[in-house]
């Protein structure tokens, strides 16, 4: 993989070309061959001056949900900014495209940029709904066609991942920490980086992925693996037992403190020291010496109750003697509800007996194949987990591995285009459209409305007829208390023309935008679909065009 310039852009300011760093794999050849063969055929048929409008949208929300978080916009803009076929790209295409391609076409490709393209989009981090284009792109037909696959790959997984993360955040509640641990299981290195970035956007608090931390300025967090515990089998293996007292600076034997506390704890917790693992104790002592201010230990390697909690508490009390406060534990197997409650009870007993009130507040991290349903079930059972570490099912989007965003031609040279289908849901909405979100007086989003660009926007306090795009009898009057025009011009005349938010700001936007959705649209089981409508004018326009384009069959 050729990551030429893996780097995140610093957001928050207008970006100029010099600052436009992008994952090096995102380049014009990261596309399907058919975009380039079509480009040649368009060029041959003298369509270089044709202008087109394409809509980028999805038809169904993922994960049996009724909302999607739009993400990936900043990467699309960086791609437009850097769009240019290099000399070696052109050489490769010369060898790869069928023989007989006129050399002037390669010259044309070599001079192509996205300067004449205009891109409209909904803000990144906003909730979005089926059939409402999240990006609308206008410009010379050939260039806007060539952008299709790359824009889709930049938006599809990003939005899927941000939506998945937002759903985990909703079920976990706002007080529980969520960490993304998925790199080892992700769809390759680039998938892993995107997963870390967009799970943060969706509401995770950090990642274990160090490169993602560096590139995107996401908090990086972590504990340790079972290997660390199992690499020790006895206290005799400890090469050092000494740790400096935090306040006095005097070196003390941490192991000696831990062994003394362990003996006392074994009565309090009713666990025999013989049953517990000496290797685990040695591993924890050595880890505590390495990170006296950040001691967080895995307690499930042998037995949480009979070994892990006893050893952890002994080492944490030993650290306390030397002026340090441990952070907590991680549980990575077994019944996470039961074991987290057991751990909290243990900490409460220790807090009381040893007069260390902060022991009550030790962090309990849980991991091991966690998904949305596990969290819901743990919530029902009652648990004392403060932080979930989630890998596989988050990053692979277990419940639905792809979002079906598509990119469809809706207008060419000012003339609308419609794609018909036996499946009504797949018929495209023709023409250049604007999108509005209408809000009720209590601040909730009521409906998204698509109109032809020539129509005046809906006005606050005025009745608007909102029609189902395909079912004639489904319509409703809406009197909005607030009207939001969903599109902003993000790219025009070769420049990004909005101040781009930082990743942090996009992450905040996700939560703000989700708050505007009624709870029944967000519930996990059978959520209510959010309404997406068209104006009466657009309804008639679509259906007239449909009749003009659908052949009339003949029965014989
Ligand atoms: N209280 C609980 N309620 C519902 N699901 C749970 C609960 N505790 C754990 N789980 C989930 O149950 C599954 C248990 O996984 P598994 O059967 O592999 O057991 P394990 O504890 O990992 O076993 P091992 O000790 O062999 O590693 C995980 O997906 C975990 O997230
Ligand atoms: O379970 P996930 O949601 O994917 O979270 C990440 C997992 O990765 C680590 O162990 P790994 O799975 O590599 O090994 P183990 O489960 O066999 O200990 C960690 O201990 C978690 O269990
Ligand atoms: O830091 C951790 O605990 C971690 C990181 C990656 C995978 N599993 C756990
Ligand atoms: Mg595992």
């Amino acid at each position: 993989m050729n990551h030429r310039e893996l780097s995140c852009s610093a957001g928050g300011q207008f970006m100029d070309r010099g600052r436009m760093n992008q994952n090096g794999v995102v380049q014009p050849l990261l596309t399907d061959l058919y975009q380039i063969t079509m480009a040649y055929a368009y060029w041959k048929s003298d369509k270089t001056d044709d202008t087109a409008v394409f809509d980028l949208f999805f038809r169904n929300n993922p994960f049996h949900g009724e909302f999607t978080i739009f993400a990936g916009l900043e990467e699309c803009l960086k791609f437009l900014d850097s769009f240019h076929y290099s000399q070696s790209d052109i050489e490769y295409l010369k060898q790869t495209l069928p023989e007989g391609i006129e050399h002037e076409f390669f010259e044309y490709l070599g001079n192509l940029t996205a300067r004449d393209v205009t891109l409209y989009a909904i803000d990144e981090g906003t909730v979005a709904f089926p059939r409402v284009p999240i990006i609308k792109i206008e410009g010379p037909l050939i260039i806007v066609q060539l952008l299709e696959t790359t824009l889709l790959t930049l938006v599809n997984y990003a939005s899927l991942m941000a939506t998945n993360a937002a759903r985990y955040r909703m079920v976990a509640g706002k007080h529980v920490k969520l960490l993304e641990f998925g790199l080892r299981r992700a769809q390759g290195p680039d998938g892993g980086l995107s997963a870390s970035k967009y799970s943060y956007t969706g509401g995770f608090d950090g990642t274990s992925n160090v490169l993602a931390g560096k590139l995107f300025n996401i908090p990086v967090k972590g504990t340790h693996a079972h290997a660390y515990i199992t690499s020790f089998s006895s206290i005799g293996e400890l090469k050092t037992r000494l740790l400096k007292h935090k306040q006095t600076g005097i070196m003390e034997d941490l192991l000696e403190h831990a062994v003394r506390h362990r003996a006392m704890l074994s009565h309090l917790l009713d666990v025999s020291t013989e049953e517990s693992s000496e290797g685990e104790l040695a591993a924890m002592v050595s880890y505590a010496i390495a990170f006296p201010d950040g001691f967080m230990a895995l307690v499930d390697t042998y037995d949480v109750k009979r070994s892990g909690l006893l050893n952890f508490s002994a080492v944490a009390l030993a650290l306390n003697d030397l002026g340090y406060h441990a952070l907590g534990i991680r549980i990575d197997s077994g019944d996470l509800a039961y074991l987290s409650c057991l751990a909290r009870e243990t900490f409460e007993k220790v807090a009381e007996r040893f007069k260390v009130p902060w022991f009550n507040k030790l962090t309990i991290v849980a991991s091991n194949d966690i998904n949305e349903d596990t969290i819901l079930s743990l919530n029902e059972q009652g648990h004392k987990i403060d932080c979930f570490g989630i890998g596989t099912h988050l990053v692979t989007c277990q419940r639905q591995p792809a979002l079906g965003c598509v990119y469809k031609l809706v207008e060419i040279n000012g003339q609308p285009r419609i794609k018909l289908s036996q499946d009504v849901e797949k018929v495209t909405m023709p023409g250049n459209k604007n999108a509005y979100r209408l809000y009720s007086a209590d601040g909730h989003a009521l409906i998204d409305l698509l109109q032809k660009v020539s129509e005046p926007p809906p006005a606050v306090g005025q009745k608007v007829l909102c029609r189902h795009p395909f079912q004639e009898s489904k319509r409703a009057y809406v009197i909005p208390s607030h009207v939001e025009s969903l599109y902003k011009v993000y790219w025009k005349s070769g420049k990004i023309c909005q101040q781009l938010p930082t990743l942090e700001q996009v992450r905040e936007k996700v939560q703000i935008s989700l708050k505007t959705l009624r709870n029944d649209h967000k519930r996990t089981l059978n959520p209510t679909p959010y309404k997406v409508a068209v104006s009466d004018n657009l309804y008639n326009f679509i259906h007239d065009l449909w009749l003009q384009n659908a052949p009339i069959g003949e029965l014989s």
Side-chain angles (χ1 to χ4, degrees), residues 328-386:
I329 57 164
R330 176 161 74 98
I331 309 170
D332 190 44
S333 57
D335 183 326
L336 299 173
Y338 166 72
L339 291 173
S340 66
C341 293
L342 176 76
R344 184 64 71 213
E345 264 170 46
T346 304
F347 298 154
E348 284 166 357
K349 280 188 199 163
V350 176
E352 203 186 342
R353 166 70 180 76
F354 291 85
K355 306 276 179 286
V356 277
W358 57 268
F359 236 82
N360 283 318
K361 300 264 157 21
L362 284 167
T363 298
I364 301 175
V365 182
S367 53
N368 186 25
D369 273 334
I370 288 168
N371 61 18
E372 239 185 282
D373 289 338
T374 323
I375 300 176
L376 283 169
S377 168
L378 291 169
N379 288 347
E380 266 174 27
Q381 297 163 58
H383 67 81
K384 300 287 179 191
I385 297 163
D386 304 295

Side-chain angles (χ1 to χ4, degrees), residues 179-184 208 221-225 298 330 332 365 367 389 391:
L179 299 179
E180 178 269 313
F181 282 175
L183 180 59
R184 65 192 60 195
S208 59
K221 298 263 189 293
T223 66
H224 63 74
L298 197 48
R330 176 161 74 98
D332 190 44
V365 182
S367 53

Side-chain angles (χ1 to χ4, degrees), residues 452-514:
K452 294 180 74 178
V453 280
S454 53
E455 295 182 68
V460 168
Q462 289 192 11
K463 199 152 89 173
V464 193
L465 178 60
C466 295
R467 304 197 59 169
H468 186 288
F470 305 117
Q471 292 180 27
E472 195 170 16
S473 61
K474 284 198 175 174
R475 62 236 154 108
Y477 283 117
V478 177
I479 304 177
S481 293
H482 170 59
V483 174
E484 184 186 11
S485 177
L486 289 176
Y487 297 138
K488 288 187 187 132
V489 183
Y490 269 95
W491 172 267
K492 196 177 166 79
S493 309
K495 283 199 178 63
I496 292 176
C497 31
Q498 298 287 334
Q499 179 144 16
L500 292 184
T502 60
L503 188 57
E504 207 66 50
Q505 287 167 332
V506 177
R507 183 171 181 268
E508 280 160 24
K509 176 93 185 183
V510 171
Q511 298 309 319
I512 292 166
S513 186
L514 275 170

Side-chain angles (χ1 to χ4, degrees), residues 9 11 40 138 167 191 202 217 226 255 260 262 280 295 299 306 328 352 389 399 401 438 443 465 476 482 514 526 541:
S9 69
Y40 180 60
E138 303 174 356
R167 293 175 62 90
N217 201 20
H226 292 107
L255 179 66
R260 188 163 39 79
R262 197 171 177 238
E280 185 180 60
F295 180 55
V299 293
R306 313 215 157 275
E352 203 186 342
R399 248 190 182 177
L438 311 187
L465 178 60
H482 170 59
L514 275 170
N526 302 326
F541 176 75

Side-chain angles (χ1 to χ4, degrees), residues 31 49 75 182 186 194 207 219 264 308 334 341-342 347 365 387-388 417 423 438 442 458 461 467 494 508 555:
T31 189
D49 291 332
E75 295 305 309
S194 296
T207 177
M264 287 193 277
C341 293
L342 176 76
F347 298 154
V365 182
C387 173
F388 289 103
R417 288 293 185 267
D423 179 356
L438 311 187
D442 66 3
R467 304 197 59 169
E508 280 160 24
L555 299 178

